[in-house]
Amino acid sequence: NAGVTQTPKFQVLKTGQSMTLQCAQDMNHNSMYWYRQDPGMGLRLIYYSASEGTTDKGEVPNGYNVSRLNKREFSLRLESAAPSQTSVYFCASMDRPSGYEQYFGPGTRLTVT
Amino acid sequence: GNSVTQMEGPVTLSEEAFLTINCTYTATGYPSLFWYVQYPGEGLQLLLKATKADDKGSNKGFEATYRKETTSFHLEKGSVQVSDSAVYFCALRGLSGGYQKVTFGIGTKLQVIP
């Protein structure tokens, strides 16, 4: 039971490059989330998916897109990376049977130069 | 909308000192309250939670009581250890726009020195 996994752990991009952050959970949770963590800002919600087949914007969606590929996987795409997207990105999942506790992945540290 | 307020820190304590990290919230309805902990280089993990007023959550020597009258959920530990050094996030969960949304505070960094 791996919980929530994320790949890659680290990534360096040049401005304008694109990449996809992958997230998968094996807890059969319906809801999945993407956050970014920046110093002094806490965690800010980028996008979420309340269930398979649905996605919605969070607080800071600009510059990102998401895909809920199936119940297990929720990916985050940066189409044209900018230095302002340098951050640590966390994927999380939760559901009612687990008491709505959020389970987090280990994070992806992204640097855009 | 919902919000959570906590001090950013860092909070520096000597081993075996008493810890308090304050957390207050603004929310409609009856949210559930959480404390998450983030150790260096890792994701967040649940430390404790409380789902209704006057509930006390506890885990690993940490405690927090859901106080609706003061809209607070302060984290306490009687005797901290070096291994408690981490970032602590207060959070609340409530319905927002038809889905279960979790709102986090900015996180408080705790440093415990031997």
Side-chain angles (χ1 to χ4, degrees):
Chain A
N1 193 345
V4 180
T5 57
Q6 291 182 237
T7 56
K9 285 194 185 311
F10 301 94
Q11 184 72 48
V12 179
L13 292 178
K14 294 187 189 306
T15 298
Q17 288 184 317
S18 63
M19 77 162 296
T20 299
L21 282 64
Q22 307 286 355
C23 173
Q25 52 92 9
D26 62 2
M27 294 170 284
N28 204 37
H29 287 170
N30 279 305
S31 301
M32 297 185 74
Y33 304 79
W34 276 106
Y35 294 93
R36 59 178 289 173
Q37 183 180 26
D38 302 291
M41 305 288 285
L43 271 74
R44 292 183 291 171
L45 182 65
I46 305 171
Y47 270 93
Y48 68 96
S49 171
S51 62
E52 185 179 355
T54 69
T55 61
D56 283 287
K57 295 177 181 178
E59 304 166 59
V60 289
N62 291 345
Y64 305 95
N65 283 300
V66 290
S67 296
R68 184 74 183 266
L69 305 169
N70 48 54
K71 194 170 185 180
R72 291 187 64 248
E73 298 172 286
F74 188 39
S75 62
L76 178 72
R77 183 160 178 83
L78 286 69
E79 291 291 352
S80 179
S84 61
Q85 295 177 305
T86 293
S87 187
V88 181
Y89 292 86
F90 288 100
C91 178
S93 70
M94 76 177 182
D95 211 334
R96 185 172 182 169
S98 60
Y100 289 122
E101 170 190 341
Q102 284 206 325
Y103 289 81
F104 284 82
T108 295
R109 186 173 294 274
L110 174 67
T111 302
V112 183
T113 61
Chain B
N2 297 341
S3 68
V4 175
T5 302
Q6 62 177 119
M7 57 178 153
E8 186 172 4
V11 174
T12 303
L13 294 174
S14 297
E15 207 165 21
E16 299 184 2
F18 185 85
L19 168 71
T20 300
I21 301 177
N22 290 339
C23 171
T24 57
Y25 68 90
T26 303
T28 55
Y30 302 93
S32 295
L33 301 175
F34 304 83
W35 278 100
Y36 285 84
V37 58
Q38 183 182 32
Y39 298 104
E42 298 183 10
L44 280 72
Q45 56 186 278
L46 182 69
L47 180 60
L48 54 83
K49 67 180 180 183
T51 58
K52 61 183 188 294
D54 299 325
D55 267 2
K56 178 186 282 188
S58 61
N59 186 25
K60 300 181 180 179
F62 291 90
E63 294 183 337
T65 301
Y66 188 163
R67 302 282 188 203
K68 194 163 177 64
E69 65 275 14
T70 55
T71 61
S72 64
F73 192 55
H74 304 322
L75 182 68
E76 296 182 336
K77 187 175 185 183
S79 176
V80 294
Q81 306 300 312
V82 172
S83 57
D84 294 327
S85 297
V87 181
Y88 293 82
F89 291 89
C90 185
L92 69 83
R93 176 183 58 75
L95 268 178
S96 176
Y99 80 101
Q100 293 288 339
K101 179 181 177 182
V102 181
T103 302
F104 290 88
I106 62 171
T108 301
K109 184 173 183 178
L110 171 65
Q111 295 176 314
V112 181
I113 55 178

